[in-house]
Amino acid sequence: MGTSPRTDRHRRAVLRTDGYVPLREYAVIGDGRTAALVASDGSLDWLGLPDLDSPAVFGAVLGADRGGRFLLQPAVPYRSERRYLPGTNVLETTFATAHGTVRVTDALTLHDEAALAPIRELQRRIDGISGAVPVRWSVQPRFGYGTRTTRLAWRAGVPVATAGSDALAVCAWEAGEPRCEADAINGSFLTAPGGSALIAMPFAHQEPLVLPARAECDVRLERTCAAWRRWADDRLYTGRWHQAVMRSLLTLKLLVFAPSGAVAAAVTTSLPEHIGGERNWDYRFSWVRDSAFTLAAFLQLGCPAEARAYFWWLMHASQLTHPRLQVLYQLNGGAHTTEQVLPWEGYRGSSPVRIGNAAAGQVQLDTYGELMQTAWLYAQAAGRLDADVARRLAELADLVCTVWQRPDSGIWEVRSAPRHFTQSKMMCWVALDRAAHLAERRLVPDRHLARWRSAREEIATFIETRCVSPRRNCYVRSAGSEDLDAAVLLGHLYGYDGDVQRMEATITAVGLELRHGPFVDRYSGEDGLSGPEGAFLACSFWLAESFARTGRLALATELMDDLVRLANDVGLYSEEIDPVTGDFLGNLPQGLSHLALISAACAINAAGKEAGG
């Protein structure tokens, strides 16, 4: 089936094209409130403050000239390699030069109990390993996506950048004397073996700016590493692909917005699905589409606190639009997601750069099945449901009985005319099936149980008569179509009780017609948007899991091995990959890619145990 692109994990020099690095070169750090992208050349190119979905202060990944960055690198030619400190989301990059070697440790520190700790704090520690390496650094803040005027001043001998009620300081120890030059705070210094420099960037929003002492920063970094390790040590996974699963789980934890329990789809907005194309979307929201995978991952891998917090966030957010479900919600549970366009060039000229997401206004019927599956998983784990939640779930099932016959925009949020998408119908079936099971267990009101069962059978009849290719005897993308859709695999994974041979034929057809090596396209046919896209990584993992669940364990394992090798050097995945070049495409790190990896790994390991492997 072809070979997988391999990432060079050894020391390498990274060249920028028109100011941009390949997306594979980014790692992510975070603190449960926000997250940053750090390139392998030492440039921090994305950071929203104070929160993950706040306007970017550093946005060079989308606007090399006007987005702003925090650059920290040797001032001489170098090669770099990096890793996450084991069991953490703290990044370590080692730069090797002809003059010597220097190591940079990057972290967004976790908030401690100190009364005067900054609300957000970025730390970049520089340790001299050998020789004397000249290092340069430059902090170039651009508040409000660069729309606000940045003012530089000094407070207690520390350079501070402000815009309105936002402020950040650049506290440097053993890192040279900071200089305020034009719209940047710059510095340079020479490392020595055993020497340690630190640049800390505390941030404040609508409150006083805290200027920490170095000793406080050092303690906070140690506590941050320890907290990550404690969390990772408590997780439950011992199967194959352990390293990939644990890195995916740590990445998922980074996407959890701690104040609410929501899980963001990605850290970024508008990274393109095709270089130079228009498929650029804001993914700093939480999609109902991801909910069942998210809760399953938390429950399978021993994260009960995260599972509870996420479920209750989902119940709170969906209550705002009840009984109608919105496709996505804000991380604080809000429903307002107006889409706007920034006057930036976009990553490598890929515009428009969008903030907000108009998909929130679409009708996507699959969301009802995903939410009900999530509730089913939660109820199984908890043994009960809150009375108000149970009532709302019953009302949701009542709504599905009336809306399932409508066309919709489907899981892929196409911007063409609505259709009767097969996966949407299957998930409506799942919604009513789970509602019926909950009612049978007296976990939700059962007054309309007969209606739910009847509608469930009507949906199955529609799927089996109108969403099938007579020629191939497989499920197709939409009623009356001959196109294929990898999302139909989700019907299988969520337990749609259709024709077994037909579903197996669908899995085979997806593998033959949409798969190219380890890559799987989302669908065949048009979608109302111009330009091509890369292969959607989650679909590849869904296919691997489908192979495992239908007894094709060798195929599943082989595909999974190939997919694990597609991660970048620190184990992250984007939304898509270019099958020809292996380049990352789309927003990153992509939560659904990592969720699909976890789900597939767990399913393949379980299938192997059942087979006696």
Side-chain angles (χ1 to χ4, degrees):
M1 299 297 294
T3 58
S4 305
R6 297 296 298 272
T7 301
D8 181 3
R9 297 175 185 268
H10 301 289
R11 287 194 173 121
R12 63 208 187 280
V14 178
L15 299 177
R16 288 187 174 246
T17 301
D18 298 325
Y20 298 95
V21 297
L23 295 179
R24 272 188 174 273
E25 297 302 319
Y26 283 110
V28 64
I29 57 175
D31 62 359
R33 270 77 175 172
T34 190
L37 292 186
V38 184
S40 57
D41 65 358
S43 182
L44 192 151
D45 289 347
W46 182 261
L47 175 62
L49 287 171
D51 299 324
L52 189 149
D53 56 356
S54 297
V57 173
F58 302 126
V61 70
L62 293 174
D65 295 329
R66 64 189 304 178
R69 57 166 51 90
F70 185 161
L71 180 68
L72 172 62
Q73 61 185 198
V76 294
Y78 60 85
R79 297 172 72 83
S80 68
E81 66 177 350
R82 60 192 177 164
R83 64 167 188 158
Y84 284 108
L85 295 181
T88 79
N89 281 310
V90 175
L91 182 68
E92 180 186 88
T93 305
T94 301
F95 296 97
T97 77
H99 299 260
T101 302
V102 63
R103 182 171 296 146
V104 176
T105 303
D106 287 317
L108 281 162
T109 56
L110 303 180
H111 198 275
D112 58 26
E113 298 304 318
L116 292 178
I119 62 163
R120 306 287 181 271
E121 180 186 66
L122 170 69
Q123 287 195 28
R124 311 196 76 177
R125 190 179 72 190
I126 308 97
D127 293 309
I129 306 302
S130 65
V133 180
V135 174
R136 59 174 181 153
W137 56 269
S138 179
V139 179
Q140 304 161 22
R142 303 291 183 266
F143 293 94
Y145 302 112
T147 62
R148 300 163 63 191
T149 300
T150 300
R151 294 178 173 83
L152 301 182
W154 293 83
R155 297 184 190 175
V158 175
V160 174
T162 61
S165 60
D166 290 335
L168 63 83
V170 179
C171 305
W173 296 276
E174 311 301 327
E177 288 296 325
R179 306 181 303 275
C180 292
E181 299 173 332
D183 55 0
I185 302 168
N186 301 322
S188 60
F189 63 102
L190 193 67
T191 67
S196 179
L198 175 65
I199 304 172
M201 194 190 81
F203 177 82
H205 175 67
Q206 297 180 344
E207 61 183 43
L209 179 64
V210 176
L211 301 180
R214 172 155 192 184
E216 296 169 347
C217 291
D218 289 341
V219 168
R220 233 178 340 263
L221 181 59
E222 291 176 6
R223 289 177 176 172
T224 295
C225 292
W228 280 120
R229 291 191 182 106
R230 284 195 303 272
W231 186 86
D233 288 345
D234 288 340
R235 308 289 67 87
L236 306 175
Y237 185 80
T238 58
R240 190 167 180 172
W241 308 292
H242 180 269
Q243 185 174 351
V245 169
M246 288 306 300
R247 178 48 53 193
S248 290
L249 187 59
L250 279 161
T251 302
L252 183 62
K253 179 65 172 173
L254 269 185
L255 295 173
V256 174
F257 184 58
S260 69
V263 180
V267 167
T268 55
T269 178
S270 295
L271 292 180
E273 298 175 16
H274 171 67
I275 302 301
E278 65 171 326
R279 301 170 184 267
N280 316 316
W281 317 111
D282 193 344
Y283 271 22
R284 297 169 299 163
F285 299 96
S286 194
W287 264 255
V288 179
R289 168 200 67 192
D290 300 346
S291 61
F293 277 118
T294 300
L295 200 76
F298 284 150
L299 292 174
Q300 286 178 298
L301 301 183
C303 307
E306 288 79 6
R308 284 192 299 272
Y310 176 69
F311 179 75
W312 284 106
W313 169 84
L314 184 61
M315 292 300 100
H316 164 75
S318 59
Q319 186 175 18
L320 298 179
T321 56
H322 182 76
R324 179 184 62 85
L325 278 181
Q326 194 159 281
V327 175
L328 54 98
Y329 294 90
Q330 291 179 310
L331 301 183
N332 64 6
H336 182 70
T337 62
T338 302
E339 191 171 283
Q340 305 173 52
V341 174
L342 294 178
W344 286 7
E345 65 177 347
Y347 177 78
R348 292 179 57 190
S350 303
S351 61
V353 173
R354 296 180 171 95
I355 54 173
N357 199 309
Q362 291 185 345
V363 175
Q364 293 181 25
L365 297 178
D366 64 288
T367 57
Y368 295 94
E370 280 127 8
L371 185 139
M372 199 67 77
Q373 172 70 4
T374 302
W376 168 247
L377 292 173
Y378 183 84
Q380 285 185 304
R384 63 179 297 276
L385 288 170
D386 179 83
D388 180 64
V389 168
R391 174 188 56 78
R392 286 171 49 204
L393 291 174
E395 291 170 353
L396 201 76
D398 290 340
L399 179 65
V400 173
C401 290
T402 63
V403 302
W404 76 263
Q405 301 178 57
R406 300 176 186 174
D408 73 328
S409 295
I411 188 175
W412 302 127
E413 299 168 4
V414 297
R415 302 207 171 185
S416 54
R419 304 185 196 177
H420 292 286
F421 285 103
T422 304
Q423 188 261 352
S424 295
K425 306 304 183 190
M426 287 181 172
M427 295 310 294
C428 285
W429 184 97
V430 168
L432 295 176
D433 184 71
R434 300 304 180 267
H437 285 304
L438 288 169
E440 289 160 2
R441 296 191 179 192
R442 300 190 181 281
L443 292 172
V444 302
D446 62 357
R447 61 183 181 276
H448 294 158
L449 177 57
R451 183 189 181 197
W452 299 342
R453 288 171 173 166
S454 176
R456 180 181 59 185
E457 296 310 309
E458 291 174 10
I459 296 171
T461 299
F462 182 96
I463 294 169
E464 300 300 325
T465 57
R466 297 188 55 187
C467 300
V468 174
S469 166
R471 177 173 59 86
R472 293 175 290 186
N473 191 35
C474 70
Y475 298 109
V476 291
R477 186 181 177 202
S478 59
S481 168
E482 281 291 323
D483 296 329
L484 292 177
D485 187 349
V488 173
L489 299 177
L490 293 176
H492 170 62
L493 300 183
Y494 288 137
Y496 167 69
D497 189 17
D499 185 289
V500 174
Q501 291 183 338
R502 191 168 284 161
M503 185 59 78
E504 291 186 355
T506 303
I507 296 168
T508 299
V510 168
L512 290 175
E513 299 182 38
L514 296 184
R515 181 183 175 188
H516 316 280
F519 304 107
V520 176
D521 296 332
R522 290 194 288 179
Y523 46 77
S524 56
E526 59 84 25
D527 60 7
L529 292 166
S530 62
E533 63 174 0
F536 199 80
L537 278 166
C539 296
S540 296
F541 288 112
W542 296 343
L543 181 60
E545 183 171 350
S546 295
F547 283 154
R549 291 181 180 274
T550 53
R552 290 175 265 190
L553 191 57
L555 285 176
T557 302
E558 179 185 10
L559 177 54
M560 191 70 179
D561 283 338
D562 285 343
L563 292 172
V564 167
R565 287 191 287 266
L566 293 178
N568 74 355
D569 58 313
V570 288
L572 301 182
Y573 292 87
S574 60
E575 180 182 13
E576 300 181 3
I577 290 183
D578 185 319
V580 177
T581 65
D583 290 343
F584 277 9
L585 294 168
N587 288 300
L588 66 101
Q590 178 75 7
L592 186 58
S593 298
H594 287 279
L595 286 166
L597 182 153
I598 292 170
S599 184
C602 291
I604 296 170
N605 278 300
K609 289 179 181 178
E610 290 180 7

